[in-house]
Amino acid sequence: MKFRSLLSASVVLSLSATLAACSAEPPATAVAGNGVDASTATSAADFGGLDALVSAAQEEGELNVIALPEDWANYGAIITGFEDKYDITVNSANPNASSAEEIQAAENQAGQDTAPDVFDLGAAVALANTDKFAPYKVETWDSIPEGNKDTEGLWVNNYTGIMSVGYDSSRIEEPKKLDDLLGEMYRGAVALNGDPTQAGAAFAAVGNISALSGGSVADFGAGIDWMQKLKDAGNFLTVDPTPATIASGETPVVFDWSFNNIAAASGKSDFKTTIVPGAAYVSFYNEAISNDAPHPAAARLWQEWIFSDEAQQLFLEGNSVPVRVDALKESGAVDQALLDGATFGTTSADWITPTVDDTDAANKLLTERWSALTK
């Protein structure tokens, strides 16, 4: 799972030292065999078409990704599918990194051939770092809803889950409403997937809690207040959940994306997933190309792959909801049973998600208040 937890200070220092020791090898030339500067291409047409883009990417031969664990939204199959289809090696770094750590890695490794080519980011971090992205519009651009993409192609929503509660049914009853989690049964048991100032899943959890506790996605204050109640009740478990902590029972209740909680059951069959009645919170992750990508053609081909029918279907098979789901429905490419499982029977009419302004306001409030809650 992509738990996007914070690295400990010692690990950060170790990584920084390692990066400092690395030679700053310049990336391979961005000019493809047909004379195209891949680093400035904004569509496959700039290469002369998709086939020419494939050739340019194959000349580079590699792609660097970061923060893509194999059991997160089916990224294992998505990465393998890309490698098999295009004969390009994918170098996957730091799978459990947070969105913020993806950006940090790009800054630390700028100009090196190990730097990330592409990003998969929570909305808050993506919107704060658009100056680091290269604009690009994939061939399926027109079938991506207008509200799910930057007009210039700096970022594009790729998939979402629904914020859910995973729980160890062998020890704990299913919560029927949010305030059930304040009860004695959940003492020291309720965890978030990371720090909401750093991790997209934890940010979404606080947003969902806000909407369920009298606030809204425009008012995260209610969610922070409710988390304080959870802490005061002795029920807030400040341990970042992992497959191991779930399997061992160390984190018996987890707020996380539905696709993560469903995947956790593969290691613990008693771990069940539920959607707390009320607002169904969704927040798409964002695909972006680094403007410092050492493999700029491969980065653009990866973008084409991510938004193809084939890869979008793979997201669905991983219990996440792909951004082009309506286009897949129209083409008949959607397995309805998979769709029902990924959405828990909800539709887009039931979903809530913060706007750009809501996200900015929530980030400011979390920066001001979250550290005090976790002391």
Side-chain angles (χ1 to χ4, degrees):
M1 290 184 190
K2 189 178 189 178
F3 282 99
R4 297 188 180 276
S5 59
L6 294 175
L7 291 175
S8 67
S10 61
V11 174
V12 171
L13 291 172
S14 175
L15 282 174
S16 299
T18 300
L19 292 170
C22 293
S23 60
E25 292 287 343
T29 178
V31 179
N34 58 1
V36 175
D37 184 351
S39 67
T40 62
T42 59
S43 70
D46 289 347
F47 291 87
L50 187 59
D51 289 344
L53 169 57
V54 172
S55 295
Q58 288 174 333
E59 285 181 24
E60 294 173 348
E62 297 182 61
L63 175 78
N64 298 339
V65 303
I66 185 170
L68 299 184
E70 293 185 357
D71 56 0
W72 174 284
N74 211 22
Y75 261 120
I78 291 167
I79 289 170
T80 298
F82 180 81
E83 290 181 316
D84 291 347
K85 187 178 182 73
Y86 298 113
D87 194 26
I88 293 171
T89 300
V90 176
N91 306 309
S92 182
N94 199 3
N96 291 323
S98 70
S99 293
E101 287 164 350
E102 293 185 55
I103 298 299
Q104 181 184 22
E107 293 173 347
N108 289 345
Q109 300 177 57
Q112 299 181 34
D113 60 7
T114 56
D117 287 306
V118 292
F119 302 111
D120 179 89
L121 301 163
V125 174
L127 293 173
N129 289 281
T130 55
D131 60 328
K132 296 177 174 63
F133 306 155
Y136 187 81
K137 295 183 180 181
V138 294
E139 291 203 323
T140 56
W141 181 262
D142 289 344
S143 64
I144 298 170
E146 290 301 320
N148 294 109
K149 57 192 178 186
D150 174 70
T151 56
E152 299 302 316
L154 289 172
W155 53 262
V156 187
N157 293 161
N158 42 17
Y159 63 91
T160 187
I162 297 176
M163 186 47 54
S164 67
V165 176
Y167 63 100
D168 184 348
S169 64
S170 68
R171 297 169 48 190
I172 290 173
E173 292 179 3
E174 176 184 355
K176 300 297 185 182
K177 58 182 184 301
L178 182 66
D179 282 354
D180 286 350
L181 296 172
L182 300 174
E184 179 67 26
M185 180 184 299
Y186 302 93
R187 179 64 57 88
V190 184
L192 299 186
N193 180 350
D195 179 332
T197 67
Q198 301 280 324
F203 178 95
V206 177
N208 188 210
I209 290 166
S210 296
L212 294 171
S213 59
S216 69
V217 292
D219 174 21
F220 272 41
I224 298 171
D225 291 342
W226 188 89
M227 288 299 301
Q228 183 65 59
K229 292 180 183 178
L230 189 73
K231 179 183 178 182
D232 292 344
N235 294 4
F236 183 24
L237 178 61
T238 56
V239 173
D240 283 344
T242 67
T245 64
I246 289 173
S248 70
E250 183 182 358
T251 52
V253 181
V254 178
F255 274 96
D256 202 353
W257 294 119
S258 49
F259 56 79
N260 274 343
N261 278 331
I262 291 170
S266 65
K268 187 178 181 64
S269 60
D270 290 328
F271 197 71
K272 307 298 183 184
T273 302
T274 188
I275 303 295
V276 178
Y281 186 108
V282 304
S283 181
F284 281 85
Y285 278 84
N286 299 268
E287 190 72 28
I289 297 170
S290 172
N291 57 17
D292 187 46
H295 309 103
R300 285 153 176 79
L301 183 60
W302 173 260
Q303 198 93 333
E304 295 284 357
W305 166 246
I306 288 296
F307 296 102
S308 68
D309 283 4
E310 187 176 353
Q312 290 277 290
Q313 177 73 13
L314 289 173
F315 278 124
L316 188 58
E317 291 175 9
N319 294 299
S320 57
V321 182
V323 71
R324 294 183 56 247
V325 65
D326 288 341
L328 295 182
K329 286 179 182 178
E330 289 176 10
S331 69
V334 168
D335 182 317
Q336 191 62 44
L338 284 176
L339 182 60
D340 290 343
T343 61
F344 283 78
T346 66
T347 69
S348 57
D350 304 313
W351 299 346
I352 59 168
T353 192
T355 65
V356 172
D357 289 343
D358 293 339
T359 299
D360 288 343
N363 277 331
K364 183 175 184 295
L365 194 60
L366 286 165
T367 298
E368 293 170 352
R369 296 186 56 191
W370 188 257
S371 61
L373 188 149
T374 55
K375 285 181 180 177

